[in-house]
Amino acid sequence: MAETLFFNALREAIDEEMERDPTVMVMGEDVGHYGGSYKVTKDLYKKYGDLRLLDTPIAENSFTGMAVGAAMTGLRPIIEGMNMGFLLLAFNQIANNAGMLRYTSGGNYKIPMVIRGPGGVGRQLGAEHSQRLETYFQAVPGLKIIACSTPYNAKGLLKSAIRDNNPVLFFEHVLLYNLKEDLPEGEYLLPLDKAEVVRSGEDVTIITYSRMRHHVMQAVKTLEKDGYDPEVIDLLSLKPLDFDTIGASIRKTHRVIIVEEAMRTGGIAAEVIASINDRLFDELDAPVLRLSSQDIPTPYNGGLENLTIVQPQQIVEAVQKMVALKV
């Protein structure tokens, strides 16, 4: 086992896959000589050359479209969005091209590409740099959506995403890059369609993903001291959802709280709640509760910024309230 920073876990995944498969390449703003905005591709251009670590102009629509074409013709491009919010400029290329071409071509083309980079609410990055784009893209057919949350799952999921023959949106949280964890020495892959049961419990199921996993686990420390026994599920795969894992948990606890950093309206939680009500309504002993960010642009002011997103104490209070209703 070796202690590894989150951004280095991602770098290891890219390095290993580029070494294994010569069709894997990276493109984006400052991914080459600068090493990426968060150093995920640091020094890789020295090993693989400037064409496999391709520095692009500041033109997200152009290089995303170029990556789609590269994927159609045999390469496995990895796009780094310097900030995932900038990829709204490439929405057409991601949705109408990457997401749909395998279907609209009658299966004549595969689109094996990964679109990855930092997103989420950082520390005073302002509204345009604090986007949660998973909610924008969840309705697009043909896309797989991953939200990693630890160095271990970041590396294993990214390697699997690079090998997948479909376009994968791979969300990394801007505040997790310096997280440390011991990683196995050997190669490992993680499935792109499975959630992780972070903690087993009996009282209530807490479903979360990305940075909110860590807010939930902070809350769990307080709840355990007070005798509560929550089960925690990290979705990891936002599309498709792993309803085998979700269903097994709900059949045990019969109560659900969803914690997300996405905004409440049209968020991931909204889709999860609809799916739970469709499939597991009779298993519920209480309405599903969601804790989401407020429906406002993220403020620059640090105090106001914290007020817009879910904090651990809110999770504690939600669990206490829901378990108090237990019959």
Side-chain angles (χ1 to χ4, degrees):
M1 305 290 282
E3 187 175 64
T4 306
L5 289 161
F6 191 102
F7 74 89
N8 275 330
L10 294 164
R11 184 184 181 279
E12 287 179 11
I14 294 172
D15 187 14
E16 289 174 14
E17 292 305 303
M18 291 186 74
E19 187 169 37
R20 187 189 70 88
D21 183 349
T23 67
V24 177
M25 52 88 68
V26 181
M27 65 173 70
E29 297 144 355
D30 291 332
V31 298
H33 289 244
Y34 186 70
S37 55
Y38 290 89
K39 302 307 178 186
V40 173
T41 56
K42 182 180 179 180
D43 292 335
L44 291 181
Y45 79 95
K46 296 178 182 178
K47 184 175 180 180
Y48 299 108
D50 291 342
L51 288 179
R52 291 186 70 192
L53 271 296
L54 185 63
D55 284 320
T56 66
I58 302 174
E60 286 78 8
N61 58 343
S62 296
F63 65 74
T64 302
M66 183 167 67
V68 174
M72 293 170 69
T73 52
L75 297 182
R76 290 184 175 271
I78 304 167
I79 289 177
E80 177 178 301
M82 183 180 286
N83 180 283
M84 291 299 261
F86 302 160
L87 291 177
L88 287 174
L89 295 166
F91 195 102
N92 178 64
Q93 286 74 22
I94 296 170
N96 284 332
N97 301 152
M100 299 184 189
L101 268 171
R102 190 168 188 178
Y103 177 84
T104 56
S105 71
N108 286 310
Y109 294 107
K110 296 180 291 187
I111 315 293
M113 62 184 291
V114 176
I115 302 166
R116 53 151 296 272
V121 178
R123 290 192 175 93
Q124 294 183 269
L125 297 180
E128 292 180 359
H129 291 68
S130 302
Q131 297 277 26
R132 284 76 92 194
L133 289 195
E134 64 269 23
T135 62
Y136 291 66
F137 286 105
Q138 65 173 325
V140 177
L143 300 178
K144 295 184 178 182
I145 303 178
I146 298 295
C148 57
S149 56
T150 68
Y152 175 78
N153 65 46
K155 181 177 180 180
L157 289 166
L158 183 54
K159 285 173 67 69
S160 295
I162 293 168
R163 297 187 191 189
D164 199 89
N165 284 327
N166 299 284
V168 180
L169 289 180
F170 196 92
F171 289 97
E172 306 148 14
H173 199 286
V174 67
L175 291 183
L176 297 183
Y177 281 120
N178 289 323
L179 195 67
K180 295 180 180 179
E181 188 177 17
D182 290 335
L183 299 188
E185 295 288 353
E187 180 179 77
Y188 65 94
L189 300 168
L190 295 177
L192 297 181
D193 59 353
K194 297 295 182 184
E196 177 188 351
V197 179
V198 181
R199 183 190 189 278
S200 295
E202 301 288 339
D203 288 341
V204 59
T205 297
I206 304 176
I207 299 172
T208 190
Y209 66 92
S210 190
R211 183 191 175 210
M212 284 295 119
R213 166 180 174 148
H214 302 282
H215 277 209
V216 168
M217 294 312 294
Q218 286 182 49
V220 165
K221 292 179 181 178
T222 300
L223 291 164
E224 287 175 333
K225 292 176 183 178
D226 295 333
Y228 294 93
D229 186 25
E231 179 148 302
V232 179
I233 295 175
D234 184 343
L235 289 174
L236 299 180
S237 174
L238 306 184
K239 189 175 185 179
L241 292 169
D242 176 10
F243 252 88
D244 289 339
T245 299
I246 293 170
S249 181
I250 293 173
R251 291 184 184 95
K252 178 171 58 172
T253 66
H254 305 289
R255 282 167 171 74
V256 186
I257 297 172
I258 305 172
V259 182
E260 66 178 349
E261 194 175 287
M263 295 175 188
R264 181 180 180 88
T265 300
I268 298 298
E271 177 61 29
V272 175
I273 290 171
S275 297
I276 289 172
N277 286 333
D278 284 346
R279 306 182 192 197
L280 298 163
F281 183 80
D282 290 341
E283 295 290 342
L284 297 173
D285 288 343
V288 180
L289 176 65
R290 58 176 155 168
L291 301 177
S292 310
S293 292
Q294 296 185 38
D295 287 331
I296 59 172
T298 304
Y300 174 76
N301 177 278
L304 294 176
E305 180 182 67
N306 283 333
L307 289 173
T308 67
I309 62 175
V310 181
Q311 300 298 332
Q313 184 57 36
Q314 294 171 263
I315 302 167
V316 170
E317 292 168 1
V319 171
Q320 291 171 337
K321 182 178 179 180
M322 182 163 281
V323 174
L325 298 174
K326 198 168 184 178
V327 294

